[in-house]
Amino acid sequence: MATDTIKIAYIGGGSQGWARRLMYDLALEPRLSGTIALYDINHDAAKTNQRIGTLISNHPDATGKWTYEAIPTIEEALKDADFVIISILPGTFADMAKDVHFPEKYGIYQSVGDTVGPGGIRRAVRSIPLFMEIGEQIKLHCPDAWVINYTNPMSVCTRTLYKAFPQIKAIGCCHEVFETQHLLANMAEEMLGVTVENRKDIKVSVTGINHFTWINEATYQNIDLFPLYAKFAEKYAHTGFEKEQGKWEESVFHSSNRVKFDLFQKYRLIAAAGDRHLAEFMPPVYLKNPQTVHDWKFHLTTLDFRVKDQQRKISENEKVFTDDTRIVLEPSGEEGVEILLALLGIEDLVTNVNFPNKGQIQNLPKDAIVETNALIRKNSVQPVRTNDIPLNVANMVNRHILNQEAVIQAVLTEDKNLARNAFVNDPLIAAISYDNAVSLFEEMDVWQQN
């Protein structure tokens, strides 16, 4: 395809966050141009992003020129698209309030509530029908398009796309590993006395599933970083580590990495996601109560924060239209545009992706959505095979893979009993009595979303 006539269908094109990041990155890339079809169930939000995208593309520093169009139907948005980007919010703030806060009645606390745990499962049940529909529409209107999914629960949503359209060319993308590379870069600077210019200079081998991702090899200029990390994790096990000490208290997205260090000391692999995600995959060691969370130096992400964060993003979008606001084109740090370049054959890329397991992790179930490195080149994503996950970690990862598969199967076959059994098997929920877990399932209306 010509790189100056690309069509990207953006499902969730009214996004206040991801859309702006993509727009900036596209504007900074001179080798690509074309049309972005913005589709969102909130058409007014898509129209707002059409205006913002046009302003960004017309910026004097923009070298990538794009036409942004708010499209009223998903069919029209997808028609003949070369790429599809999915970034949606499955549900309302009322849904999220029940996802995150209702389980607190039973003593279950969640730091995010969008991937596993009671909130993650309830969100999955809402998401699966949506992603079945999206996958089926892609099959009808742009079956050869490459699909990049950013929506959580990442593994469930991406797996559902393949359930809807087995021949789909879809990957899931997440930036959590990037942050761990930054941490390793900070470690190398402290312990080796070097300056790491770019987090990509930290070479890692990635394994596991999204938000419960692990690094089993890490090097900097051919120096094995694992022995250093063992010392680093021991040194900061109790105090935590940040480049700017104390910064973790400023934002729910920051932590002191104490959960990462504790997991390394227990399992001897480097956990490669934020502490607030990692904590939810475990029994409530780190999420026993709010004081425990504070002691481990990370945060519970409350509904109040989410509402205020959305209001902040809306306000930032509105400021784009004021005369005294200057758009500053800065790279987002995401790799979406680099992935487009690689799939178009412009430059190869090796990065972590969520993709069906075709043997890249031998001791995890076939076709499960796993996260590993992949070589991306023209019209091709080739997952990189990793070493088997150690048994003690594989046991934990497998539990979540099978639970997520059970939830998908339950929704697709309308099997409430299977959904309930998966729910009570989640490690956070299994910490309470079976009867209470069943009561929580019913009282949260997990199944009414189907």
PDB file of all heavy atoms in Angstrom, residues 398-425:
ATOM      1  N   ASN A 398      -0.808 -19.637  34.420  1.00  0.00           N
ATOM      2  CA  ASN A 398      -1.805 -20.560  33.865  1.00  0.00           C
ATOM      3  C   ASN A 398      -3.165 -20.403  34.528  1.00  0.00           C
ATOM      4  O   ASN A 398      -4.204 -20.517  33.877  1.00  0.00           O
ATOM      5  CB  ASN A 398      -1.319 -22.007  34.026  1.00  0.00           C
ATOM      6  CG  ASN A 398      -0.760 -22.563  32.742  1.00  0.00           C
ATOM      7  OD1 ASN A 398      -1.353 -22.413  31.678  1.00  0.00           O
ATOM      8  ND2 ASN A 398       0.400 -23.196  32.834  1.00  0.00           N
ATOM      9  N   ARG A 399      -3.171 -20.178  35.816  1.00  0.00           N
ATOM     10  CA  ARG A 399      -4.444 -20.012  36.523  1.00  0.00           C
ATOM     11  C   ARG A 399      -5.238 -18.868  35.901  1.00  0.00           C
ATOM     12  O   ARG A 399      -6.451 -18.979  35.671  1.00  0.00           O
ATOM     13  CB  ARG A 399      -4.184 -19.742  38.004  1.00  0.00           C
ATOM     14  CG  ARG A 399      -5.452 -19.574  38.832  1.00  0.00           C
ATOM     15  CD  ARG A 399      -5.104 -19.413  40.305  1.00  0.00           C
ATOM     16  NE  ARG A 399      -6.299 -19.372  41.144  1.00  0.00           N
ATOM     17  CZ  ARG A 399      -6.260 -19.339  42.473  1.00  0.00           C
ATOM     18  NH1 ARG A 399      -5.099 -19.366  43.105  1.00  0.00           N
ATOM     19  NH2 ARG A 399      -7.378 -19.286  43.182  1.00  0.00           N
ATOM     20  N   HIS A 400      -4.558 -17.765  35.593  1.00  0.00           N
ATOM     21  CA  HIS A 400      -5.254 -16.619  35.017  1.00  0.00           C
ATOM     22  C   HIS A 400      -5.630 -16.856  33.561  1.00  0.00           C
ATOM     23  O   HIS A 400      -6.719 -16.445  33.124  1.00  0.00           O
ATOM     24  CB  HIS A 400      -4.392 -15.367  35.171  1.00  0.00           C
ATOM     25  CG  HIS A 400      -4.298 -14.884  36.584  1.00  0.00           C
ATOM     26  ND1 HIS A 400      -5.348 -14.276  37.220  1.00  0.00           N
ATOM     27  CD2 HIS A 400      -3.285 -14.958  37.484  1.00  0.00           C
ATOM     28  CE1 HIS A 400      -4.985 -13.975  38.463  1.00  0.00           C
ATOM     29  NE2 HIS A 400      -3.738 -14.381  38.648  1.00  0.00           N
ATOM     30  N   ILE A 401      -4.756 -17.527  32.813  1.00  0.00           N
ATOM     31  CA  ILE A 401      -5.101 -17.844  31.417  1.00  0.00           C
ATOM     32  C   ILE A 401      -6.366 -18.688  31.366  1.00  0.00           C
ATOM     33  O   ILE A 401      -7.303 -18.401  30.601  1.00  0.00           O
ATOM     34  CB  ILE A 401      -3.938 -18.583  30.725  1.00  0.00           C
ATOM     35  CG1 ILE A 401      -2.773 -17.625  30.451  1.00  0.00           C
ATOM     36  CG2 ILE A 401      -4.413 -19.219  29.410  1.00  0.00           C
ATOM     37  CD1 ILE A 401      -1.550 -18.299  29.864  1.00  0.00           C
ATOM     38  N   LEU A 402      -6.422 -19.729  32.173  1.00  0.00           N
ATOM     39  CA  LEU A 402      -7.573 -20.628  32.150  1.00  0.00           C
ATOM     40  C   LEU A 402      -8.821 -19.933  32.681  1.00  0.00           C
ATOM     41  O   LEU A 402      -9.933 -20.166  32.186  1.00  0.00           O
ATOM     42  CB  LEU A 402      -7.261 -21.886  32.958  1.00  0.00           C
ATOM     43  CG  LEU A 402      -6.124 -22.760  32.383  1.00  0.00           C
ATOM     44  CD1 LEU A 402      -5.820 -23.923  33.320  1.00  0.00           C
ATOM     45  CD2 LEU A 402      -6.487 -23.276  31.000  1.00  0.00           C
ATOM     46  N   ASN A 403      -8.650 -19.077  33.665  1.00  0.00           N
ATOM     47  CA  ASN A 403      -9.798 -18.331  34.176  1.00  0.00           C
ATOM     48  C   ASN A 403     -10.357 -17.395  33.114  1.00  0.00           C
ATOM     49  O   ASN A 403     -11.569 -17.304  32.906  1.00  0.00           O
ATOM     50  CB  ASN A 403      -9.380 -17.524  35.407  1.00  0.00           C
ATOM     51  CG  ASN A 403     -10.132 -17.956  36.651  1.00  0.00           C
ATOM     52  OD1 ASN A 403     -10.521 -19.104  36.776  1.00  0.00           O
ATOM     53  ND2 ASN A 403     -10.334 -17.027  37.558  1.00  0.00           N
ATOM     54  N   GLN A 404      -9.468 -16.688  32.412  1.00  0.00           N
ATOM     55  CA  GLN A 404      -9.922 -15.769  31.371  1.00  0.00           C
ATOM     56  C   GLN A 404     -10.581 -16.526  30.219  1.00  0.00           C
ATOM     57  O   GLN A 404     -11.590 -16.082  29.672  1.00  0.00           O
ATOM     58  CB  GLN A 404      -8.743 -14.927  30.877  1.00  0.00           C
ATOM     59  CG  GLN A 404      -8.266 -13.922  31.918  1.00  0.00           C
ATOM     60  CD  GLN A 404      -7.044 -13.142  31.493  1.00  0.00           C
ATOM     61  OE1 GLN A 404      -6.224 -13.613  30.699  1.00  0.00           O
ATOM     62  NE2 GLN A 404      -6.888 -11.928  32.017  1.00  0.00           N
ATOM     63  N   GLU A 405     -10.021 -17.684  29.878  1.00  0.00           N
ATOM     64  CA  GLU A 405     -10.619 -18.497  28.823  1.00  0.00           C
ATOM     65  C   GLU A 405     -12.005 -18.979  29.247  1.00  0.00           C
ATOM     66  O   GLU A 405     -12.945 -19.026  28.433  1.00  0.00           O
ATOM     67  CB  GLU A 405      -9.717 -19.692  28.503  1.00  0.00           C
ATOM     68  CG  GLU A 405     -10.140 -20.489  27.291  1.00  0.00           C
ATOM     69  CD  GLU A 405      -9.940 -19.762  25.967  1.00  0.00           C
ATOM     70  OE1 GLU A 405      -9.202 -18.753  25.921  1.00  0.00           O
ATOM     71  OE2 GLU A 405     -10.527 -20.211  24.961  1.00  0.00           O
ATOM     72  N   ALA A 406     -12.141 -19.317  30.520  1.00  0.00           N
ATOM     73  CA  ALA A 406     -13.443 -19.761  31.018  1.00  0.00           C
ATOM     74  C   ALA A 406     -14.472 -18.634  30.949  1.00  0.00           C
ATOM     75  O   ALA A 406     -15.635 -18.869  30.605  1.00  0.00           O
ATOM     76  CB  ALA A 406     -13.310 -20.273  32.456  1.00  0.00           C
ATOM     77  N   VAL A 407     -14.066 -17.424  31.268  1.00  0.00           N
ATOM     78  CA  VAL A 407     -14.988 -16.285  31.190  1.00  0.00           C
ATOM     79  C   VAL A 407     -15.428 -16.052  29.752  1.00  0.00           C
ATOM     80  O   VAL A 407     -16.623 -15.827  29.475  1.00  0.00           O
ATOM     81  CB  VAL A 407     -14.328 -15.020  31.780  1.00  0.00           C
ATOM     82  CG1 VAL A 407     -15.199 -13.789  31.534  1.00  0.00           C
ATOM     83  CG2 VAL A 407     -14.092 -15.189  33.280  1.00  0.00           C
ATOM     84  N   ILE A 408     -14.495 -16.104  28.823  1.00  0.00           N
ATOM     85  CA  ILE A 408     -14.843 -15.932  27.405  1.00  0.00           C
ATOM     86  C   ILE A 408     -15.827 -17.009  26.970  1.00  0.00           C
ATOM     87  O   ILE A 408     -16.865 -16.721  26.350  1.00  0.00           O
ATOM     88  CB  ILE A 408     -13.578 -15.975  26.519  1.00  0.00           C
ATOM     89  CG1 ILE A 408     -12.674 -14.779  26.815  1.00  0.00           C
ATOM     90  CG2 ILE A 408     -13.963 -15.981  25.032  1.00  0.00           C
ATOM     91  CD1 ILE A 408     -11.308 -14.877  26.166  1.00  0.00           C
ATOM     92  N   GLN A 409     -15.507 -18.254  27.307  1.00  0.00           N
ATOM     93  CA  GLN A 409     -16.382 -19.363  26.923  1.00  0.00           C
ATOM     94  C   GLN A 409     -17.753 -19.227  27.568  1.00  0.00           C
ATOM     95  O   GLN A 409     -18.784 -19.507  26.940  1.00  0.00           O
ATOM     96  CB  GLN A 409     -15.732 -20.697  27.318  1.00  0.00           C
ATOM     97  CG  GLN A 409     -16.445 -21.930  26.797  1.00  0.00           C
ATOM     98  CD  GLN A 409     -16.354 -22.064  25.289  1.00  0.00           C
ATOM     99  OE1 GLN A 409     -15.512 -21.428  24.650  1.00  0.00           O
ATOM    100  NE2 GLN A 409     -17.225 -22.871  24.707  1.00  0.00           N
ATOM    101  N   ALA A 410     -17.776 -18.783  28.816  1.00  0.00           N
ATOM    102  CA  ALA A 410     -19.056 -18.614  29.517  1.00  0.00           C
ATOM    103  C   ALA A 410     -19.937 -17.596  28.812  1.00  0.00           C
ATOM    104  O   ALA A 410     -21.136 -17.824  28.627  1.00  0.00           O
ATOM    105  CB  ALA A 410     -18.791 -18.190  30.960  1.00  0.00           C
ATOM    106  N   VAL A 411     -19.364 -16.471  28.409  1.00  0.00           N
ATOM    107  CA  VAL A 411     -20.149 -15.438  27.739  1.00  0.00           C
ATOM    108  C   VAL A 411     -20.626 -15.933  26.376  1.00  0.00           C
ATOM    109  O   VAL A 411     -21.798 -15.755  26.007  1.00  0.00           O
ATOM    110  CB  VAL A 411     -19.330 -14.143  27.588  1.00  0.00           C
ATOM    111  CG1 VAL A 411     -20.088 -13.121  26.742  1.00  0.00           C
ATOM    112  CG2 VAL A 411     -19.013 -13.554  28.963  1.00  0.00           C
ATOM    113  N   LEU A 412     -19.745 -16.578  25.622  1.00  0.00           N
ATOM    114  CA  LEU A 412     -20.104 -17.005  24.265  1.00  0.00           C
ATOM    115  C   LEU A 412     -21.142 -18.127  24.269  1.00  0.00           C
ATOM    116  O   LEU A 412     -21.913 -18.270  23.319  1.00  0.00           O
ATOM    117  CB  LEU A 412     -18.852 -17.438  23.501  1.00  0.00           C
ATOM    118  CG  LEU A 412     -17.805 -16.337  23.265  1.00  0.00           C
ATOM    119  CD1 LEU A 412     -16.663 -16.863  22.406  1.00  0.00           C
ATOM    120  CD2 LEU A 412     -18.417 -15.099  22.620  1.00  0.00           C
ATOM    121  N   THR A 413     -21.175 -18.940  25.334  1.00  0.00           N
ATOM    122  CA  THR A 413     -22.140 -20.040  25.414  1.00  0.00           C
ATOM    123  C   THR A 413     -23.279 -19.739  26.384  1.00  0.00           C
ATOM    124  O   THR A 413     -24.123 -20.611  26.628  1.00  0.00           O
ATOM    125  CB  THR A 413     -21.438 -21.340  25.847  1.00  0.00           C
ATOM    126  OG1 THR A 413     -20.860 -21.153  27.149  1.00  0.00           O
ATOM    127  CG2 THR A 413     -20.365 -21.740  24.848  1.00  0.00           C
ATOM    128  N   GLU A 414     -23.256 -18.530  26.951  1.00  0.00           N
ATOM    129  CA  GLU A 414     -24.281 -18.112  27.920  1.00  0.00           C
ATOM    130  C   GLU A 414     -24.365 -19.078  29.103  1.00  0.00           C
ATOM    131  O   GLU A 414     -25.454 -19.471  29.551  1.00  0.00           O
ATOM    132  CB  GLU A 414     -25.639 -17.959  27.224  1.00  0.00           C
ATOM    133  CG  GLU A 414     -25.609 -16.925  26.104  1.00  0.00           C
ATOM    134  CD  GLU A 414     -26.968 -16.710  25.463  1.00  0.00           C
ATOM    135  OE1 GLU A 414     -27.951 -17.325  25.919  1.00  0.00           O
ATOM    136  OE2 GLU A 414     -27.036 -15.914  24.511  1.00  0.00           O
ATOM    137  N   ASP A 415     -23.199 -19.426  29.635  1.00  0.00           N
ATOM    138  CA  ASP A 415     -23.099 -20.385  30.728  1.00  0.00           C
ATOM    139  C   ASP A 415     -22.757 -19.627  32.022  1.00  0.00           C
ATOM    140  O   ASP A 415     -21.591 -19.404  32.345  1.00  0.00           O
ATOM    141  CB  ASP A 415     -22.020 -21.430  30.409  1.00  0.00           C
ATOM    142  CG  ASP A 415     -21.981 -22.567  31.410  1.00  0.00           C
ATOM    143  OD1 ASP A 415     -22.463 -22.403  32.542  1.00  0.00           O
ATOM    144  OD2 ASP A 415     -21.432 -23.636  31.057  1.00  0.00           O
ATOM    145  N   LYS A 416     -23.772 -19.238  32.740  1.00  0.00           N
ATOM    146  CA  LYS A 416     -23.574 -18.467  33.963  1.00  0.00           C
ATOM    147  C   LYS A 416     -22.798 -19.257  35.008  1.00  0.00           C
ATOM    148  O   LYS A 416     -21.975 -18.696  35.750  1.00  0.00           O
ATOM    149  CB  LYS A 416     -24.936 -18.042  34.534  1.00  0.00           C
ATOM    150  CG  LYS A 416     -24.834 -17.235  35.821  1.00  0.00           C
ATOM    151  CD  LYS A 416     -26.215 -16.817  36.328  1.00  0.00           C
ATOM    152  CE  LYS A 416     -26.108 -16.056  37.636  1.00  0.00           C
ATOM    153  NZ  LYS A 416     -27.450 -15.638  38.144  1.00  0.00           N
ATOM    154  N   ASN A 417     -23.042 -20.553  35.082  1.00  0.00           N
ATOM    155  CA  ASN A 417     -22.355 -21.382  36.077  1.00  0.00           C
ATOM    156  C   ASN A 417     -20.849 -21.379  35.838  1.00  0.00           C
ATOM    157  O   ASN A 417     -20.057 -21.301  36.785  1.00  0.00           O
ATOM    158  CB  ASN A 417     -22.898 -22.808  36.043  1.00  0.00           C
ATOM    159  CG  ASN A 417     -22.338 -23.667  37.159  1.00  0.00           C
ATOM    160  OD1 ASN A 417     -22.497 -23.347  38.342  1.00  0.00           O
ATOM    161  ND2 ASN A 417     -21.672 -24.760  36.790  1.00  0.00           N
ATOM    162  N   LEU A 418     -20.431 -21.467  34.585  1.00  0.00           N
ATOM    163  CA  LEU A 418     -19.002 -21.434  34.258  1.00  0.00           C
ATOM    164  C   LEU A 418     -18.414 -20.083  34.650  1.00  0.00           C
ATOM    165  O   LEU A 418     -17.300 -20.016  35.193  1.00  0.00           O
ATOM    166  CB  LEU A 418     -18.798 -21.702  32.768  1.00  0.00           C
ATOM    167  CG  LEU A 418     -17.355 -21.678  32.248  1.00  0.00           C
ATOM    168  CD1 LEU A 418     -16.486 -22.693  32.978  1.00  0.00           C
ATOM    169  CD2 LEU A 418     -17.331 -21.935  30.741  1.00  0.00           C
ATOM    170  N   ALA A 419     -19.132 -19.002  34.385  1.00  0.00           N
ATOM    171  CA  ALA A 419     -18.657 -17.676  34.761  1.00  0.00           C
ATOM    172  C   ALA A 419     -18.494 -17.560  36.267  1.00  0.00           C
ATOM    173  O   ALA A 419     -17.506 -17.012  36.778  1.00  0.00           O
ATOM    174  CB  ALA A 419     -19.621 -16.611  34.245  1.00  0.00           C
ATOM    175  N   ARG A 420     -19.482 -18.078  37.006  1.00  0.00           N
ATOM    176  CA  ARG A 420     -19.421 -18.026  38.465  1.00  0.00           C
ATOM    177  C   ARG A 420     -18.218 -18.808  38.986  1.00  0.00           C
ATOM    178  O   ARG A 420     -17.493 -18.347  39.888  1.00  0.00           O
ATOM    179  CB  ARG A 420     -20.705 -18.587  39.070  1.00  0.00           C
ATOM    180  CG  ARG A 420     -20.760 -18.483  40.594  1.00  0.00           C
ATOM    181  CD  ARG A 420     -21.867 -19.332  41.185  1.00  0.00           C
ATOM    182  NE  ARG A 420     -23.176 -18.988  40.664  1.00  0.00           N
ATOM    183  CZ  ARG A 420     -23.889 -19.762  39.862  1.00  0.00           C
ATOM    184  NH1 ARG A 420     -23.398 -20.937  39.457  1.00  0.00           N
ATOM    185  NH2 ARG A 420     -25.080 -19.385  39.450  1.00  0.00           N
ATOM    186  N   ASN A 421     -17.974 -19.981  38.423  1.00  0.00           N
ATOM    187  CA  ASN A 421     -16.849 -20.800  38.875  1.00  0.00           C
ATOM    188  C   ASN A 421     -15.506 -20.124  38.587  1.00  0.00           C
ATOM    189  O   ASN A 421     -14.571 -20.202  39.386  1.00  0.00           O
ATOM    190  CB  ASN A 421     -16.902 -22.178  38.225  1.00  0.00           C
ATOM    191  CG  ASN A 421     -18.022 -23.030  38.780  1.00  0.00           C
ATOM    192  OD1 ASN A 421     -18.519 -22.775  39.882  1.00  0.00           O
ATOM    193  ND2 ASN A 421     -18.448 -24.034  38.027  1.00  0.00           N
ATOM    194  N   ALA A 422     -15.413 -19.472  37.432  1.00  0.00           N
ATOM    195  CA  ALA A 422     -14.184 -18.726  37.127  1.00  0.00           C
ATOM    196  C   ALA A 422     -14.009 -17.576  38.114  1.00  0.00           C
ATOM    197  O   ALA A 422     -12.901 -17.291  38.584  1.00  0.00           O
ATOM    198  CB  ALA A 422     -14.230 -18.207  35.691  1.00  0.00           C
ATOM    199  N   PHE A 423     -15.095 -16.921  38.427  1.00  0.00           N
ATOM    200  CA  PHE A 423     -15.069 -15.785  39.348  1.00  0.00           C
ATOM    201  C   PHE A 423     -14.522 -16.201  40.713  1.00  0.00           C
ATOM    202  O   PHE A 423     -13.593 -15.576  41.237  1.00  0.00           O
ATOM    203  CB  PHE A 423     -16.489 -15.229  39.473  1.00  0.00           C
ATOM    204  CG  PHE A 423     -16.628 -13.985  40.284  1.00  0.00           C
ATOM    205  CD1 PHE A 423     -16.429 -12.738  39.718  1.00  0.00           C
ATOM    206  CD2 PHE A 423     -17.008 -14.050  41.627  1.00  0.00           C
ATOM    207  CE1 PHE A 423     -16.582 -11.578  40.459  1.00  0.00           C
ATOM    208  CE2 PHE A 423     -17.169 -12.897  42.379  1.00  0.00           C
ATOM    209  CZ  PHE A 423     -16.957 -11.651  41.799  1.00  0.00           C
ATOM    210  N   VAL A 424     -15.050 -17.253  41.275  1.00  0.00           N
ATOM    211  CA  VAL A 424     -14.633 -17.650  42.625  1.00  0.00           C
ATOM    212  C   VAL A 424     -13.224 -18.232  42.627  1.00  0.00           C
ATOM    213  O   VAL A 424     -12.596 -18.347  43.694  1.00  0.00           O
ATOM    214  CB  VAL A 424     -15.621 -18.661  43.252  1.00  0.00           C
ATOM    215  CG1 VAL A 424     -17.022 -18.071  43.325  1.00  0.00           C
ATOM    216  CG2 VAL A 424     -15.644 -19.986  42.484  1.00  0.00           C
ATOM    217  N   ASN A 425     -12.698 -18.590  41.457  1.00  0.00           N
ATOM    218  CA  ASN A 425     -11.345 -19.152  41.369  1.00  0.00           C
ATOM    219  C   ASN A 425     -10.265 -18.084  41.286  1.00  0.00           C
ATOM    220  O   ASN A 425      -9.079 -18.385  41.399  1.00  0.00           O
ATOM    221  CB  ASN A 425     -11.242 -20.071  40.141  1.00  0.00           C
ATOM    222  CG  ASN A 425      -9.940 -20.839  40.101  1.00  0.00           C
ATOM    223  OD1 ASN A 425      -9.543 -21.453  41.081  1.00  0.00           O
ATOM    224  ND2 ASN A 425      -9.263 -20.796  38.957  1.00  0.00           N
TER     225      ASN A 425
END
